Amino acid sequence: MQLSQKLFQASAWLRYWLEAVNEHSLHAPFVYQLYREVIRPQGPSLPAVEQLRRELLESGEWLQLQEMGAGSSLTTNNKRPVASIARHSLTPARFSQLLYRLLQFTQAQTVLELGTSLGLNSLYMAAAIPAGTLYTIEGCPQTAALARRHVELQQVTNIQLLTGNIDQQLPQLLAQASPQLDLAYLDANHTYEATLRYFGWLLPHLHPQSVVVVDDIHWSAGMQQAWQELCRHPSVTLSLDLYEAGLLFFRPGMQAQQYVLEY
């Protein structure tokens, strides 16, 4: 990671720390309920998935990565240990748990994930929607193959994992399956252009109760700019900045609001 990006992230974190509020500053009933029931709580932990996380952190396996987006911020070597990918690319367990709680809170049934990685968030989200379907797209064939292996080992049957460039796979999925998405999780190709492009493709498939989760909104100046533009989009009525990720809501009857929340 370049020094300029490290300095940007440090500055973004400081701004977040200074601006973030908790439930004592929340007066909108929906936001207060969401904070108390989804953002503030801890768990649930999925023991089998967390055991998999521990195994990946100690894995001696290597992957030949095919980077599709912004690439690794740690190395330009595309052959990397699985343990290193798990250490630096997986979201923390508490964020996987947040996704689980959010899906249960919104009673989502049709969910899309862009950027499967090793599949741990996929497993958490699939567990939260046992009667629903999780579509997940991974650009790197070897990473997708490993994630598919994890899904099979966990005996999860409600995940449809697609492999290939999201710019090709996502329009095909939306055209063929025509899903109305209850939640979309964007965790791939962390660039300004790709983030706005994906959102534009997803927008016709969202409904007033949908949620879009955007990962790494302060990862770079470009991602932060994309997040700010998404917050101002006419269809967005509520945006929540958790620093690690941002949540976008489209609920009718709400005056457009933006919050920076302690997480």
Side-chain angles (χ1 to χ4, degrees):
M1 183 185 297
Q2 295 182 350
L3 177 60
S4 59
Q5 187 172 355
K6 290 182 178 179
L7 292 174
F8 173 83
Q9 292 180 355
S11 174
W13 166 254
L14 179 59
R15 289 196 302 273
Y16 167 80
W17 183 79
L18 292 172
E19 296 175 7
V21 300
N22 57 29
E23 70 250 47
H24 300 298
S25 300
L26 302 178
H27 304 293
F30 175 76
V31 181
Y32 181 83
Q33 181 185 14
L34 187 73
Y35 189 84
R36 295 275 298 182
E37 297 184 16
V38 176
I39 297 170
R40 181 179 178 182
Q42 300 295 315
S45 177
L46 302 183
V49 181
E50 291 310 316
Q51 175 60 33
L52 175 59
R53 188 191 303 271
R54 289 188 289 270
E55 293 172 0
L56 291 171
L57 288 169
E58 298 176 358
S59 172
E61 190 173 355
W62 287 67
L63 288 183
Q64 184 69 39
L65 300 184
Q66 181 178 335
E67 297 286 5
M68 293 289 184
S72 170
S73 60
L74 299 166
T75 177
T76 57
N77 183 0
N78 284 341
K79 188 174 182 180
R80 292 177 57 197
V82 169
S84 175
I85 299 171
R87 187 174 304 112
H88 299 292
S89 298
L90 293 179
T91 64
R94 69 169 192 151
F95 188 76
S96 302
Q97 295 162 8
L98 171 69
L99 291 172
Y100 183 102
R101 295 192 302 272
L102 180 60
L103 288 173
Q104 289 207 319
F105 179 84
T106 58
Q107 300 181 334
Q109 291 298 305
T110 305
V111 179
L112 172 69
E113 177 187 35
L114 302 183
T116 314
S117 187
L118 301 179
L120 271 67
N121 280 336
S122 309
L123 291 169
Y124 261 93
M125 289 191 288
I129 54 168
T133 301
L134 170 69
Y135 300 92
T136 182
I137 305 176
E138 172 55 47
C140 173
Q142 283 205 1
T143 305
L146 185 54
R148 193 180 305 277
R149 191 171 83 198
H150 296 155
V151 171
E152 292 172 353
L153 287 171
Q154 299 281 330
Q155 298 182 334
V156 176
T157 59
N158 62 334
I159 294 178
Q160 294 194 24
L161 198 164
L162 307 175
T163 305
N165 192 316
I166 292 175
D167 284 351
Q168 299 170 354
Q169 293 291 334
L170 181 56
Q172 292 177 12
L173 171 64
L174 295 175
Q176 294 171 6
S178 298
Q180 187 179 51
L181 299 171
D182 300 317
L183 184 140
Y185 174 41
L186 280 57
D187 187 22
N189 197 347
H190 297 330
T191 63
Y192 168 85
E193 295 82 4
T195 301
L196 295 184
R197 183 166 65 250
Y198 298 157
F199 181 82
W201 286 341
L202 295 175
L203 195 56
H205 299 270
L206 303 177
H207 57 80
Q209 306 305 317
S210 296
V211 185
V212 173
V213 181
V214 185
D215 198 56
D216 284 334
I217 58 175
H218 299 291
W219 185 74
S220 66
M223 281 300 297
Q224 184 167 276
Q225 182 181 355
W227 168 248
Q228 292 169 346
E229 292 191 19
L230 290 176
C231 292
R232 295 193 296 266
H233 193 280
S235 64
V236 174
T237 58
L238 174 65
S239 61
L240 306 179
D241 181 343
L242 308 181
Y243 185 76
E244 292 181 30
L247 278 59
L248 300 172
F249 296 83
F250 309 85
R251 300 172 67 86
M254 292 184 65
Q255 184 178 0
Q257 302 173 79
Q258 298 181 26
Y259 291 90
V260 180
L261 298 179
E262 290 181 5
Y263 167 56

